């Protein structure tokens, strides 16, 4: 079973050629209260001192850049210390990153804490929490659904219930979930189901009076030193639970280290040991464990089991919190790739053999690794800073016939080696500045979404072709806009690195008017 889980279709990412990224289209974003003190950095060391061969890390980086591509950051911890860390520019340590379904593991933690505080039990019936949202007739399978079925993705639904849950016109996702048919007996079938995690978030909020984000802030985020997490909410103000959390790479690593330490942090038991063990243990089967897929090794309480006795939280396009129990290590990764299995394969093939039980002597490869990590960068258009064609078309506006990408016109203004994109859609006027040798940071918007951080670079790949790359560096998404010029016209081709739908649109031809 090689699962590539989809995220809710409700989320509108980079639709058409719009320059931006939407938050949850139906909801808002909630922010945690700031901590009272500045979070301390995790302790740092050298790979060799922690028994890790730098050559193994270099091989891992080479492998993930060659096959899946699209890595944005990595942080490897061993024995509680950072052995290696790096960000592919313009991604950087200070920026949060969308976690997608890695959010589920945090929601699971909130449930575990709520259980420990007596707010609920994993054996509670789901219908018991929402008497006012129940359908007129409650079927036998819905009545039998328990909290543990939500946790283990065994709700009894035949397919992922997220689409039907979030499509409610009145924005009541709880009512939408409870109204869906439950075709199988709960516990009898594993179906990856982001709506199930949303319901866990709704249950925590119902019983505690706080969103999952607010509930976790004093119990988890603040003690771990996780500063400024945000979580998308549904129209009713409930954190989406199964997706929507954004934190920094080091925050992911802290979360993994907490679980590696069986819920302990700085001498405090933040998460009950019993919950850590239950959540990360194989609760249900989800395929053939003898297969080479890390999506067939079993599922816990919103954690995936892996090969090599590891476990993980993960999210679409390669957001990983990987706990390597037998090696006392944690790997945090953010990325924008369509091949998540390739990242894990590289861990098993390159990183694991490089982990030894005792410190290693300092090697020349250690210097090579340090330099490699310091100069990681996303690929950008390769070409010239300018072209004779630039002066001919600079500042001119090309208009498009009505199209499914909803682009009305585009203007490229060149000044030196910079290009100013101005793109008008049916919804908005969006503008971004592209550098040549460096990424230029700014903001862009999408219809219905707040401003989104973006960095842009561009180059003339031929005398008649300019390619601009836009990196939304708090998300997995990058977008290239290829502009090919002919007398009085422009052909625009828009491509996206990853997506839940088509990642390349048909070329559009615009004309000078």
């Amino acid at each position: 079973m090689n699962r590539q889980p989809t995220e809710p279709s409700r989320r509108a990412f980079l639709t058409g050629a719009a320059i931006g990224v939407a938050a949850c289209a139906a909801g808002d974003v909630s922010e945690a209260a700031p901590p009272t003190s500045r979070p301390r950095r995790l302790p740092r060391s050298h790979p060799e001192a922690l028994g890790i061969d730098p050559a193994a890390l270099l091989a891992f980086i080479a492998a993930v850049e060659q096959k899946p591509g699209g890595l944005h950051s990595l942080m490897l911890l061993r024995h509680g210390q950072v052995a290696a860390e790096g960000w592919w520019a313009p991604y950087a340590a200070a920026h949060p990153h969308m976690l997608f379904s890695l959010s589920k593991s945090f929601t699971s933690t909130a449930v575990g804490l709520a259980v420990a505080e007596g707010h609920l039990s994993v054996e509670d019936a789901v219908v018991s929490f929402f008497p006012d949202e129940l359908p007129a007739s409650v079927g036998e399978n819905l009545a039998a659904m328990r909290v543990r079925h939500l946790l283990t993705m065994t709700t009894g639904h035949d397919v992922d219930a997220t689409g039907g849950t979030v499509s409610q016109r009145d924005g009541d996702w709880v009512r939408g979930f409870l109204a869906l048919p439950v075709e199988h007996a709960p516990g009898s079938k594993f179906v990856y189901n982001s709506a199930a995690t949303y319901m866990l978030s709704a249950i925590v909020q119902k019983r505690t009076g706080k969103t999952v984000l607010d509930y976790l802030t004093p119990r988890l985020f603040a003690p771990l030193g996780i500063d400024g997490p945000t979580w998308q909410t549904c129209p009713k103000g409930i954190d989406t639970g199964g997706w929507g959390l954004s934190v920094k790479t080091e925050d992911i690593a802290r979360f993994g280290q907490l679980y590696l330490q069986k819920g302990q942090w700085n001498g405090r038991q933040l998460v009950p040991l019993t919950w850590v063990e239950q959540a990360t243990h194989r609760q249900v089967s989800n395929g053939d464990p003898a297969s080479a897929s890390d999506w067939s090794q079993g599922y816990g309480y919103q954690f995936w089991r892996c090969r090599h006795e590891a476990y993980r939280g993960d999210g679409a396009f390669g957001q990983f919190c990987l706990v390597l129990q037998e090696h006392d290590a944690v790997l945090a990764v953010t990325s924008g790739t369509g091949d998540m299995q390739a990242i894990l394969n590289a861990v098993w093939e390159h990183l694991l053999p490089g982990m030894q039980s005792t410190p290693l002597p300092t090697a020349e490869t250690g210097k090579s690794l340090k330099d490699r990590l310091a100069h990681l960068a996303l690929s950008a258009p390769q070409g010239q800073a300018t072209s004779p064609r630039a002066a001919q078309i600079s500042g001119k506006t090309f208009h498009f016939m009505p199209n499914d990408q909803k682009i009305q016109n585009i203007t490229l203004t060149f000044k030196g080696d910079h290009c100013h994109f101005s793109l008008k859609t049916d919804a908005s006027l969006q503008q971004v500045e592209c550098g040549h040798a460096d990424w230029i940071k700014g903001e862009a918007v999408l219809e219905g979404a707040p401003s989104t951080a973006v960095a842009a670079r561009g180059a003339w790949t031929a005398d008649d072709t300019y390619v601009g790359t836009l990196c939304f560096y708090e998300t997995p998404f990058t977008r290239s806009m290829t502009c090919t010029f002919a007398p009085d016209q422009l052909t625009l081709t828009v491509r996206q690195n990853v997506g839940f739908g088509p990642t390349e649109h048909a070329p559009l031809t615009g004309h000078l008017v």
Side-chain angles (χ1 to χ4, degrees):
M1 178 179 175
N2 188 9
R3 151 261 188 204
Q4 290 290 339
T6 59
E7 301 288 341
S9 58
R10 190 75 172 173
R11 188 195 295 270
F13 284 121
L14 304 174
T15 54
I19 305 172
V21 56
C24 182
D28 299 312
V29 176
S30 56
E31 298 183 4
T36 56
S37 61
R38 188 176 181 84
R40 292 188 302 169
R41 296 173 77 234
L42 291 170
R44 265 64 176 173
S45 186
H46 302 290
E48 299 97 325
L50 300 173
I52 302 173
D53 185 352
L57 275 157
L58 285 167
F60 171 78
I61 293 170
V64 294
E65 286 192 329
Q66 180 179 3
K67 190 171 183 181
L71 255 67
H72 299 156
S73 71
L74 68 86
M75 181 174 286
L76 177 63
L77 274 61
R78 193 157 197 224
H79 309 322
Q81 300 182 67
V82 178
E85 59 188 314
W87 286 261
W88 278 256
Y91 291 90
H95 302 309
H97 198 285
M98 287 180 172
L99 300 191
F100 295 95
S101 287
L102 176 49
S103 308
K104 291 177 170 68
S105 301
F106 289 83
T107 300
S108 169
T109 305
V111 174
L113 292 170
V115 168
E117 292 177 1
H119 295 292
L120 61 116
S121 161
V122 298
E123 297 302 329
D124 286 343
V126 174
V127 297
S128 69
F129 297 99
F130 308 105
D132 297 333
E133 285 83 17
L134 295 177
S137 176
V138 175
E140 180 181 355
N141 288 338
L142 177 59
M145 191 187 301
R146 300 293 187 259
V147 170
R148 62 181 167 85
H149 296 130
L150 300 176
L151 286 163
T152 57
M153 302 292 189
T154 58
T155 58
H157 292 102
D158 197 51
V159 297
D160 185 353
T162 306
T165 297
V166 305
S167 61
Q168 301 302 300
R169 291 185 177 180
D170 64 357
D172 192 333
W173 293 6
V174 169
R175 188 182 301 275
F177 179 91
L178 295 172
L180 294 174
V182 183
E183 297 89 346
H184 308 278
S188 64
K189 181 178 181 179
F190 174 88
V191 173
Y192 193 76
N193 190 342
S194 292
T197 320
Y198 168 77
M199 292 298 290
L200 293 171
S201 175
I203 289 170
V204 169
Q205 185 163 333
K206 187 81 169 182
R207 283 297 173 89
T208 68
K210 299 179 181 294
T211 65
V212 166
L213 180 63
D214 287 341
Y215 182 68
L216 285 179
T217 293
R219 294 166 174 83
L220 182 80
F221 293 131
L224 289 182
I226 295 177
D227 184 19
T230 62
W231 211 314
Q232 293 173 4
T233 65
C234 79
K236 297 295 185 180
I238 300 169
D239 289 343
T240 48
W243 67 96
L245 178 62
S246 291
V247 298
K248 304 176 185 70
T249 306
E250 184 162 335
D251 300 333
I252 300 172
R254 290 170 185 268
F255 182 68
Q257 186 66 30
L258 171 71
Y259 267 80
L260 180 63
Q261 294 171 178
K262 304 299 184 182
Q264 289 193 2
W265 192 264
N266 290 338
R268 292 176 57 193
Q269 191 73 40
L270 297 185
V271 180
L273 172 61
T274 54
W275 188 263
V276 172
E277 292 177 340
Q278 291 169 7
T280 61
H281 181 72
R282 181 189 302 181
Q283 295 288 343
V284 295
S285 173
N286 61 351
D288 179 8
S291 76
S293 170
D294 284 288
W295 280 267
S296 300
Q297 307 302 312
Y299 196 74
Y301 288 167
Q302 309 285 292
F303 284 86
W304 295 89
R305 293 295 304 179
C306 307
R307 291 175 288 169
H308 304 282
E309 293 302 315
Y311 62 86
R312 72 187 188 280
D314 76 30
F317 313 125
Q319 324 315 317
F320 285 114
C321 180
L322 178 62
V323 179
L324 305 164
Q325 302 175 92
E326 294 187 339
H327 297 271
D328 195 26
V330 172
L331 178 65
V333 168
T334 62
S335 59
T337 178
D339 191 350
M340 295 168 64
Q341 182 64 67
I343 296 176
L344 294 174
N345 288 345
V347 173
W348 313 140
E349 182 178 352
H350 300 291
L351 281 188
L352 286 195
M355 293 186 181
Q356 308 302 319
S357 59
T358 57
L360 302 174
T362 302
E364 189 65 30
T365 50
K367 297 179 181 178
S368 299
L369 174 63
K370 184 177 180 179
D371 182 70
R372 186 76 179 87
L373 290 169
H375 294 91
L376 296 171
L378 294 186
S379 59
Q382 299 299 307
Q384 301 303 311
T386 189
S387 164
R389 187 66 66 94
Q392 300 171 22
I393 53 89
S394 181
K396 295 183 178 179
T397 300
F398 296 85
H399 298 265
F400 300 89
M401 297 292 290
N403 57 81
D404 60 359
Q405 299 178 51
K406 304 186 184 304
I407 299 174
Q408 294 184 8
N409 61 60
I410 187 170
T411 306
L412 279 70
T413 304
F414 295 93
K415 186 175 181 180
D417 62 357
H418 285 199
C419 174
H420 179 84
F421 268 95
S422 179
L423 185 144
K424 190 175 189 305
T425 70
D426 290 353
S428 62
L429 176 65
Q430 305 175 57
Q431 303 184 59
V432 68
E433 189 87 9
C434 292
H436 175 67
D438 299 302
W439 296 93
I440 296 181
K441 292 185 176 180
E443 291 188 343
V445 297
L446 260 184
E447 180 183 8
S451 295
T452 302
V454 67
R457 287 181 66 177
W460 288 89
T461 59
D463 284 348
D464 63 349
T465 302
Y466 183 83
V467 180
T469 295
L470 284 63
C471 172
F472 301 90
Y473 56 85
E474 294 182 355
T475 84
F477 301 107
T478 59
R479 176 156 284 219
S480 69
M481 305 180 71
T482 301
C483 302
T484 302
F485 300 94
D488 299 329
Q489 73 177 41
L490 171 154
T491 300
L492 173 66
T493 303
V494 179
R495 297 181 180 88
Q496 189 173 298
N497 61 334
V498 290
F500 301 113
T503 56
E504 182 170 349
H505 299 276
L508 300 176
T509 300
H511 298 271
L512 293 174
V513 177

